[in-house]
Amino acid sequence: MGEVVPVGRFAPSPTGRMHLGNIFTAVLSWLSVKSRGGRWILRIEDLDPQRSRREWAERMEEDLRWLGLDWDEGGLQGIGMSAPCMQSLRGDIYEQYFKRLTATGNAYSCRCTRADLMAVNAPHQSDGRLIYPGTCRPPTIPSAEPLSRGCAVRLYVPDEDICYTDAVFGAQRVNLSQECGDFILRRADGAWSYQLAVVVDDALMGVNEVVRGCDLLLSAAQQIYISRLLDLREQSYMHLPLVSNRSGQRLSKRDSSLSMEALRIRFTPEELLGRVGWMAGLLASPRPVTLSHLLERYAPGRIVGREKIIVDFM
């Protein structure tokens, strides 16, 4: 058999202008696959219809092109075999795999609201995450109980460890029952969960490498679990340090000083790429460079497995 071609993806949500953290992930994802002759897919993760806007997706594409980050497949135009690459257009596909999961008897209806869960369960102290206590779980799993209309649907998780190796953070061992409990596949309003959509999309688009922030280390275990239930291909993972402001807070689209709007006023593409390369440990100083130069310098072993990168150059 021939060598497997690396296929990576950048999957932003069009809920506002991208910030430096998004660009850090995009550049490292692009470098990782291109350093090995692979393909890079741009997927628009617009599952949330209330917050997602096409105009933000258009600005994302413009910002990526400004930096020289061209994608081989995907985007708003749906280039290549992966189309459509907007999650809002893939509901019928998610429905097929949702039915496969519910047919296993491992999914069930849940009427609990966040307020209900807050009343009986203290949030995880580090990130506010609630661990589902199994309130609506059927007495036996697999269950033959039919799903109820107007309810969320949760996926049962066993009390077992899921192990995988991250390219930056090393060996991971996650017990989903202790870290999150049974998690949602479809919300009560009918919206698909991020976990289900990502697993299906990555498998069908041929993605075999996922590069993203380390806040999603737990999500990797959830996605591996779904992949195994559906007998889908699993991906390799590289989780990156989170880009944070001077106060140590993870960047959000509210950090206007580090948004692409502000960054493009202050820096040229080469200057911004140099800062990204320096943040990643590929350069000794934040000097202007081209993507080609970063590609020559790229090595995943240079990325330090720390939780945060504090940005103080603005």
Side-chain angles (χ1 to χ4, degrees):
M1 295 180 63
E3 185 176 352
V4 176
V5 176
V7 180
R9 45 81 161 174
F10 178 54
S13 298
T15 57
R17 193 72 180 266
M18 287 195 298
H19 54 64
L20 184 61
N22 303 131
I23 293 303
F24 181 73
T25 299
V27 171
L28 270 293
S29 172
W30 188 92
L31 290 173
S32 182
V33 295
K34 292 301 179 180
S35 66
R36 292 170 290 134
R39 304 196 326 272
W40 197 57
I41 297 171
L42 175 60
R43 187 167 71 225
I44 309 299
E45 297 199 337
D46 57 344
L47 282 176
D48 188 339
Q50 280 73 44
R51 299 178 61 228
S52 299
R53 298 288 183 271
R54 185 180 178 90
E55 54 264 36
W56 288 124
E58 292 170 349
R59 297 304 295 272
M60 287 174 177
E61 292 194 348
E62 181 187 336
D63 288 334
L64 293 174
R65 289 193 178 103
W66 180 78
L67 284 166
L69 294 170
D70 289 325
W71 48 98
D72 301 291
E73 296 184 37
L76 291 172
Q77 300 304 314
I79 301 168
M81 297 183 295
S82 299
C85 283
M86 297 176 64
Q87 288 186 328
S88 59
L89 302 177
R90 297 175 63 83
D92 290 345
I93 299 173
Y94 305 143
E95 180 73 33
Q96 295 174 31
Y97 287 87
F98 174 76
K99 288 179 178 178
R100 284 176 54 180
L101 280 175
T102 57
T104 67
N106 288 305
Y108 60 89
S109 300
C110 176
R111 293 178 172 80
C112 298
T113 64
R114 184 172 178 83
D116 294 334
L117 299 181
M118 289 284 288
V120 298
N121 189 6
H124 189 280
Q125 62 181 1
S126 65
D127 57 13
R129 176 174 17 102
L130 292 172
I131 300 173
Y132 185 68
T135 307
C136 293
R137 184 191 296 161
T140 59
I141 295 288
S143 171
E145 293 184 14
L147 299 179
S148 302
R149 289 182 176 272
C151 295
V153 176
R154 288 187 181 270
L155 180 65
Y156 164 78
V157 297
D159 185 13
E160 298 174 358
D161 291 339
I162 289 181
C163 301
Y164 69 98
T165 300
D166 184 78
V168 173
F169 287 84
Q172 302 292 311
R173 181 183 295 271
V174 181
N175 186 305
L176 292 176
S177 68
Q178 297 174 14
E179 293 294 329
C180 65
D182 303 344
F183 56 90
I184 288 177
L185 292 175
R186 190 179 66 192
R187 295 187 336 204
D189 63 3
W192 299 107
S193 76
Y194 166 78
Q195 309 298 358
L196 175 62
V198 165
V199 168
V200 172
D201 288 346
D202 283 345
L204 297 186
M205 294 178 183
V207 172
N208 50 34
E209 175 184 274
V210 173
V211 178
R212 60 191 182 187
C214 66
D215 56 321
L216 293 172
L217 278 165
L218 172 62
S219 286
Q222 293 172 298
Q223 290 157 23
I224 289 170
Y225 176 58
I226 293 176
S227 296
R228 291 175 180 174
L229 287 177
L230 291 172
D231 196 25
L232 296 175
R233 175 191 1 224
E234 296 177 27
Q235 291 71 40
S236 65
Y237 291 93
M238 178 189 298
H239 287 89
L240 305 172
L242 296 181
V243 180
S244 306
N245 60 26
R246 289 189 181 95
S247 300
Q249 298 171 320
R250 173 190 172 189
L251 292 188
S252 73
K253 289 170 181 170
R254 293 185 296 272
D255 287 290
S256 58
S257 66
L258 291 171
S259 74
M260 281 301 289
E261 182 177 8
L263 294 172
R264 286 181 61 167
I265 293 172
R266 179 163 181 183
F267 301 113
T268 66
E270 292 77 16
E271 288 171 336
L272 186 54
L273 287 171
R275 278 161 172 77
V276 169
W278 171 62
M279 290 160 56
L282 305 180
L283 301 174
S285 61
R287 54 188 173 84
V289 295
T290 62
L291 265 179
S292 297
H293 183 78
L294 286 183
L295 202 54
E296 294 172 359
R297 298 279 302 169
Y298 178 77
R302 292 178 175 169
I303 302 171
V304 179
R306 58 184 186 271
E307 289 189 4
K308 296 179 181 179
I309 296 175
I310 305 296
V311 176
D312 58 3
F313 58 73
M314 291 299 291

